[in-house]
Amino acid sequence: MAAGEPGDLGGYYFRFLPQKTFQCLSTPETTSRLRQWSMLGRVAAQAFGFDQTFQAYRKDEFVMAFFKDPNVIPNLQLLSDSSGQWTTLGTEVKKIEAINVPCTQLSMSFFNRLYDEDIVRDNGHIVKCLDSFCDPFPISDELRKMLLVEDSEKYEVFSQPDREEFLFCLFKHLCLGGALCQYEDVLHPYLETTKLLYKDLVRMALVCATLRRRVTNRHFLISLWIRSSVMFMFYTTLMVWGKCLNRFFQIIYFDIVLFTNFNFNANL
């Protein structure tokens, strides 16, 4: 199959969109925070477009077609777990798994319960706790205990469905950080960075939801997250390597954008 031709699986043709930029990852404030959290250089975003209507029941075919596409294999960047260096996919993926993941939360009030349950004080400071360890993370505050320790009294502040939300997964990933993370004493930087990422990654899908007068909230996790919309093709993916999301964070963005000058006005 020649480069640039549609893939055999599902008839999908993918194209690499190197010109697509993600402002949420390039602002000075975000860059500074990622450096503090030991995530700078380990967070990346790429964009790919495709040409066929996406059908949710064919998600496995879609994902497999993506990894087999000749325009994807030499361009998809991955972070090597052994060397820590960025490299290209370089070969076809032989097996994938797609899991439905919800994305229903449109407001940062989703996290207000952190204040209500004394995980964060009214002034924004994160409540400290006795030091413990949840491999590979040190735990010295109630926020990380709530995120990691399943038998803690705070763990059920967020139900299992809550924890599967894309918004929560972004938040958790930022709070845990990388191997040499310098943790925050206050909640605001985590919330603000989560909001910036979320708005930049999902707002186009919400345009579709507005025009159709209904919300289309579907994610698929393969080793990636994929956001989909029926009305036009918009997909956001999140690839996670390493235990508890702390090693690697990569977003791949599939896009055929038909709308411009959109002001995101959800309660974020």
Side-chain angles (χ1 to χ4, degrees):
M1 180 168 55
E5 292 181 357
D8 290 336
L9 290 175
Y12 293 104
Y13 159 66
F14 294 87
R15 66 187 187 281
F16 181 41
L17 304 174
Q19 72 279 7
K20 170 64 184 177
T21 60
F22 297 84
Q23 186 177 0
C24 61
L25 295 174
S26 60
T27 65
E29 190 170 31
T30 299
T31 299
S32 176
R33 289 171 180 169
L34 292 177
R35 180 181 293 108
Q36 177 180 336
W37 301 336
S38 189
M39 299 170 71
L40 189 64
R42 301 181 66 85
V43 179
Q46 292 180 275
F48 294 85
F50 65 98
D51 66 338
Q52 300 292 324
T53 300
F54 175 81
Q55 302 291 340
Y57 70 90
R58 298 180 62 199
K59 62 184 181 296
D60 290 338
E61 295 176 44
F62 173 85
V63 173
M64 184 59 79
F66 172 72
F67 283 110
K68 288 182 175 290
D69 192 278
N71 291 319
V72 172
I73 293 172
N75 291 304
L76 180 61
Q77 295 286 312
L78 303 176
L79 190 63
S80 171
D81 199 33
S82 57
S83 69
Q85 300 297 313
W86 289 96
T87 183
T88 57
L89 181 61
T91 186
E92 292 182 1
V93 171
K94 302 300 183 182
K95 183 179 179 180
I96 60 96
E97 180 183 6
I99 302 172
N100 195 28
V101 179
C103 186
T104 64
Q105 295 299 324
L106 305 181
S107 172
M108 295 302 288
S109 63
F110 178 65
F111 296 107
N112 285 353
R113 68 194 81 176
L114 295 174
Y115 297 91
D116 299 336
E117 299 294 334
D118 296 324
I119 295 170
V120 178
R121 303 189 192 282
D122 290 342
N123 62 7
H125 280 76
I126 300 168
V127 176
K128 300 299 181 181
C129 68
L130 294 176
D131 291 344
S132 60
F133 193 73
C134 183
D135 189 29
F137 300 101
I139 297 176
S140 58
D141 59 53
E142 294 291 343
L143 178 60
R144 275 175 282 165
K145 183 187 292 186
M146 179 276 296
L147 292 173
L148 294 171
V149 183
E150 295 186 14
D151 59 357
S152 73
E153 61 180 9
K154 304 294 187 181
Y155 190 83
E156 293 185 0
V157 168
F158 289 89
S159 66
Q160 189 56 40
D162 289 335
R163 290 171 179 270
E164 293 171 356
E165 288 283 342
F166 188 40
L167 183 63
F168 185 89
C169 292
L170 287 175
F171 175 75
K172 177 179 179 179
H173 182 64
L174 295 174
C175 289
L176 297 181
L180 302 176
C181 179
Q182 301 176 53
Y183 296 105
E184 300 286 348
D185 293 322
V186 295
L187 184 65
H188 174 75
Y190 295 132
L191 290 182
E192 183 65 22
T193 309
T194 299
K195 180 175 73 173
L196 291 173
L197 286 170
Y198 197 71
K199 288 175 67 173
D200 207 12
L201 296 175
V202 306
R203 59 183 175 179
M204 286 299 180
L206 295 175
V207 175
C208 286
T210 300
L211 293 177
R212 289 184 65 88
R213 297 183 182 179
R214 68 185 181 89
V215 177
T216 55
N217 316 305
R218 185 163 292 146
H219 271 255
F220 299 104
L221 178 65
I222 35 181
S223 284
L224 322 157
W225 300 88
I226 303 178
R227 181 175 180 77
S228 68
S229 171
V230 174
M231 189 171 180
F232 74 101
M233 304 326 120
F234 174 85
Y235 301 86
T236 301
T237 69
L238 168 66
M239 180 175 289
V240 198
W241 285 9
K243 188 173 181 180
C244 298
L245 310 183
N246 82 314
R247 297 299 182 191
F248 173 51
F249 177 49
Q250 177 178 3
I251 299 163
I252 308 167
Y253 174 98
F254 300 81
D255 187 15
I256 299 178
V257 179
L258 304 178
F259 308 96
T260 57
N261 299 322
F262 171 64
N263 293 319
F264 187 90
N265 59 9
N267 296 321
L268 284 173

